[in-house]
């Protein structure tokens, strides 16, 4: 399977390192980025090829992994799916626009294409999916991040609540920080309650999920190391993308 990469930032860099270390079952073949130098840098690491347009990326790839931004999803995903190419979307926040999500689903179905959403930087999504077979009463997410990853400065031992509201609002105000709230909302079928806290006492990006339903109750806490290339991105996000790429080619599938 030849994988095309759209967006050559920290997630794509981690994926190329996995390929170099023999941890990917697929080949990262084609690289596209608005900043061509980024694409060149990553392609050279794995003997890949830089492409100059989305059309060229579609023409050559078996599957395209988006790791760019919500704007890239909105601009390019309809065209990719119309071409019958399967996609992995990392900027999941774009799909909390229900009209746009329904549009992508319709295009994918008409063209026999699949849309994959990695679990990203949180845990428990298998349980959230399973819980929707019954009744889901409430879903919430509390995210704590070091101030630098949220672009602010705080005194030592100080914390500040930057947002409290619904996931659909959070992804617009913090498009590069809170994709996990989108994944949680889409998996549960509920626009999750979200609180975002800048906390000078934490070193890792921490996500705490509370889910209640007819199945019982789920509480998870995930403390993520930030990507060395981008403090806004957790390493686990790239790990989950790599795990999904490998899962697509495995005979035995683990997880619901």
């Amino acid at each position: 399977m030849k994988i095309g990469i759209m967006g050559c930032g920290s997630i794509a860099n981690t994926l190329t390192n996995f390929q170099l270390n023999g941890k990917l079952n697929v080949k990262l073949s084609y690289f596209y980025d608005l900043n061509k130098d980024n694409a060149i840098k990553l392609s050279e690491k794995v003997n890949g090829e830089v492409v100059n347009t989305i059309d060229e990326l579609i023409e050559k790839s078996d599957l395209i992994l988006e790791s760019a931004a919500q704007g890239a999803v909105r601009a390019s995903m309809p065209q990719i799916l119309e071409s019958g190419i399967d996609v992995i979307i990392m900027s999941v926040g774009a799909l909390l626009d229900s009209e746009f999500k329904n549009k992508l689903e319709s295009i994918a179905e008409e063209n026999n294409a699949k849309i994959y959403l990695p679990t990203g930087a949180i845990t428990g999504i298998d349980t959230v999916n399973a819980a929707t077979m019954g009744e889901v009463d409430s879903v919430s997410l509390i995210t704590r991040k070091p101030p630098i990853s949220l672009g602010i400065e705080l005194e030592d031992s100080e914390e500040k609540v930057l947002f409290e509201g619904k996931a659909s609002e959070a992804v617009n105000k913090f498009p590069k920080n809170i994709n996990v709230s989108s994944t949680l909302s889409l998996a549960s079928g509920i626009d999750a309650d979200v609180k975002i806290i800048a906390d000078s006492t934490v070193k890792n990006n921490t996500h705490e999920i509370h889910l209640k339903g007819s199945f019982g109750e789920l509480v998870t806490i995930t403390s993520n190391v930030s990507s060395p290339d981008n403090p806004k991105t957790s390493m686990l996000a790239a790990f989950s993308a790599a795990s999904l790429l490998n899962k697509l080619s495995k005979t035995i599938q683990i997880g619901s």
Side-chain angles (χ1 to χ4, degrees):
M1 184 184 294
K2 295 179 179 178
I3 307 300
I5 301 293
M6 181 172 67
C8 299
S10 61
I11 289 176
N13 184 54
T14 300
L15 293 176
T16 57
N17 289 336
F18 280 143
Q19 181 169 316
L20 286 173
N21 293 330
K23 293 183 176 181
L24 281 184
N25 298 336
V26 296
K27 178 172 174 53
L28 306 179
S29 301
Y30 305 106
F31 295 82
Y32 173 78
D33 196 285
L34 293 177
N35 184 331
K36 193 172 181 179
D37 288 342
N38 292 342
I40 291 171
K41 179 181 177 181
L42 294 190
S43 67
E44 288 179 346
K45 289 174 63 175
V46 292
N47 295 317
E49 179 182 333
V50 174
V51 297
N52 297 309
T53 65
I54 292 295
D55 288 339
E56 190 179 356
L57 189 68
I58 291 170
E59 179 184 346
K60 295 185 174 183
S61 304
D62 298 317
L63 179 148
I64 292 174
L65 185 145
E66 173 277 323
S67 55
Q70 290 185 37
V73 175
R74 292 183 178 278
S76 301
M77 210 51 64
Q79 178 189 355
I80 295 170
L81 293 170
E82 283 170 359
S83 302
I85 302 295
D86 293 344
V87 298
I88 294 176
I89 298 176
M90 301 301 297
S91 303
V92 187
L95 300 188
L96 281 194
D97 178 338
S98 59
E99 184 177 343
F100 180 67
K101 172 179 172 287
N102 292 339
K103 176 183 176 180
L104 290 191
E105 282 186 293
S106 178
I107 294 172
E109 289 173 1
E110 290 172 4
N111 295 280
N112 196 31
K114 296 291 186 184
I115 301 171
Y116 298 100
L117 308 179
T119 55
I122 51 176
T123 52
I125 290 300
D126 272 4
T127 302
V128 176
N129 279 326
T132 62
M133 298 304 294
E135 297 295 327
V136 176
D137 300 321
S138 63
V139 183
S140 66
L141 171 72
I142 300 173
T143 290
R144 290 179 179 271
K145 291 192 173 188
I148 188 174
S149 71
L150 291 162
I152 67 171
E153 294 184 5
L154 293 177
E155 299 294 330
D156 291 345
S157 303
E158 184 182 1
E159 67 174 52
K160 183 177 181 180
V161 176
L162 300 183
F163 176 85
E164 194 163 5
K166 294 295 184 180
S168 55
E169 304 169 58
V171 297
N172 291 323
K173 293 185 177 182
F174 299 87
K176 297 182 179 181
N177 290 93
I178 200 70
N179 275 304
V180 291
S181 71
S182 308
T183 306
L184 180 60
S185 295
L186 291 169
S188 65
I190 294 176
D191 195 356
D193 294 315
V194 175
K195 181 185 287 188
I196 302 173
I197 303 170
D199 188 341
S200 61
T201 68
V202 300
K203 294 182 178 180
N204 297 340
N205 299 330
T206 302
H207 304 291
E208 181 177 340
I209 294 172
H210 292 257
L211 174 75
K212 290 184 179 181
S214 56
F215 78 99
E217 184 174 359
L218 168 75
V219 178
T220 72
I221 298 177
T222 311
S223 179
N224 296 306
V225 175
S226 298
S227 167
D229 305 310
N230 183 357
K232 296 180 181 180
T233 301
S234 297
M235 287 294 288
L236 189 59
F239 288 8
S240 75
S243 177
L244 176 54
L245 284 170
N246 285 340
K247 186 176 182 180
L248 295 177
S249 63
K250 287 183 177 179
T251 303
I252 296 177
Q253 303 280 338
I254 301 173
S256 55

